Amino acid sequence: MPQSWKYTNPVNVTFGKGAISKVREKLAGRNYCLLTYSDHPAFDALVDRVSQDAGRPAVVVRDVEPNPSFEGLRAACRAFSAHAGTPEVIVAVGGGSVIDTAKVLAAAGADFARVQAYLQGETKVDQLLRLPIIAVPTTSGTGSEVTCWATVWDTEAKRKYSLAHENYYPEHAILDPELTLGIPRSLTLSTGLDALSHALESIWNVNANPVSTNHAVFAAREIMATLPRLLERLNDLELRERMAQASLFAGLAFSNTKTALAHSLSYYLTLHHGTVHGIACSFSLPAILRSVIGKNAACDAALAQIFGGDLNRGAGDLEVFLTELGVSTRATDYGVTHENWLGAINDALLGERGRNFIGSREAILATAA
């Protein structure tokens, strides 16, 4: 008998060139907050475009950090409160940080303290607001447009939190590959590898199911075929379209499983060594792949669709893939001592994402030796 499983994703997705023009339709006459990045001509132009197409926003918030922190989110909530009343919907145009910030605003409104109290276990979800979100990603990697959680950083305490509740799935996701044109190589690389990690981590995951795995296999194969070519041809719209779709499928995969050990490890590197998230969560993938071989038949079968029947060779191929993109697979190259890295692995396995991992402590420590 097959194992019982479930798959749910309530986000309405619109995909295609020029899809940003659908924002007005999805707003359906509601007043809105437009949330995006600041101090960049490309996002100035997007603010103008959305405002012209969809009507003037009730408030524009552009106080968004690359890794949203308690202090930065307080500032965003203050800017959000500039409107006399609470906007009916948030339109988030940007990368994962913008969409994650939108989820916090949807829960907090003008008062970040209510989200902070929830994250720290002091209140329940019924104390949070629930504003709808229209997510318009401008990068291909985070998948945040189809997930119900947001990463929040307490940089002073060196701690990462996740605002995670089904209330914070976006109402609509609008993916327009044209918006990813002009993204520099470094960001294209890091977001693409973030998506690869989402795909693979949803496979070696205790929450994996046939639907999530099908999405993940497609995403991983597409990313590995497309990303190296895209990094050489950054303005190739066809390749941008393929990466946007692969990122979406990776998002649909891990929206049901969450991530696993590689992401749990990444938080240590980002908080303590400043490693960019997409690199921090992907450089360990070959070692983790080696550690899960033979642990689960369904996992092995899925990985074989990506890497071929010899998974040990596949792990080597994945290592070559990363190193040819300029990404070292050695933790010590990111400023971590070997001893600290082994400690980070032990801590990561105890974290929420680490507990999603199907592998064993002994196997992963052996690959890190």
Side-chain angles (χ1 to χ4, degrees), residues 7-9 13 143 146-147 212 215 247-256:
Y7 180 92
T8 302
N9 194 294
V13 177
V146 289
T147 72
S212 66
H215 289 329
S247 172
L248 170 66
F249 273 65
L252 291 170
F254 92 105
S255 71
N256 274 239

Side-chain angles (χ1 to χ4, degrees), residues 180 183 188 230 234 236-244:
T180 67
I183 293 174
T188 301
L230 176 58
L234 292 171
D236 188 315
L237 183 56
E238 179 184 352
L239 295 176
R240 288 287 185 186
E241 188 169 13
R242 289 180 62 179
M243 276 300 299

Side-chain angles (χ1 to χ4, degrees), residues 193 286 316-330:
L193 292 179
D317 291 342
L318 178 56
E319 190 161 12
V320 170
F321 171 82
L322 290 169
T323 56
E324 288 185 346
L325 296 181
V327 177
S328 171
T329 58
R330 297 187 299 269

Side-chain angles (χ1 to χ4, degrees), residues 251-334:
L252 291 170
F254 92 105
S255 71
N256 274 239
T257 65
K258 297 187 177 180
T259 51
L261 181 60
H263 267 72
S264 192
L265 285 166
S266 78
Y267 305 136
Y268 167 82
L269 282 173
T270 297
L271 281 169
H272 294 275
H273 297 274
T275 308
V276 173
H277 175 68
I279 306 301
C281 69
S282 61
F283 85 93
S284 62
L285 293 174
I288 296 173
L289 171 53
R290 289 187 179 97
S291 79
V292 300
I293 296 170
K295 299 294 183 184
N296 178 281
C299 175
D300 283 354
L303 293 172
Q305 293 182 62
I306 302 166
F307 298 105
D310 185 344
L311 292 181
N312 283 296
R313 179 175 179 176
D317 291 342
L318 178 56
E319 190 161 12
V320 170
F321 171 82
L322 290 169
T323 56
E324 288 185 346
L325 296 181
V327 177
S328 171
T329 58
R330 297 187 299 269
T332 51
D333 286 343
Y334 299 94

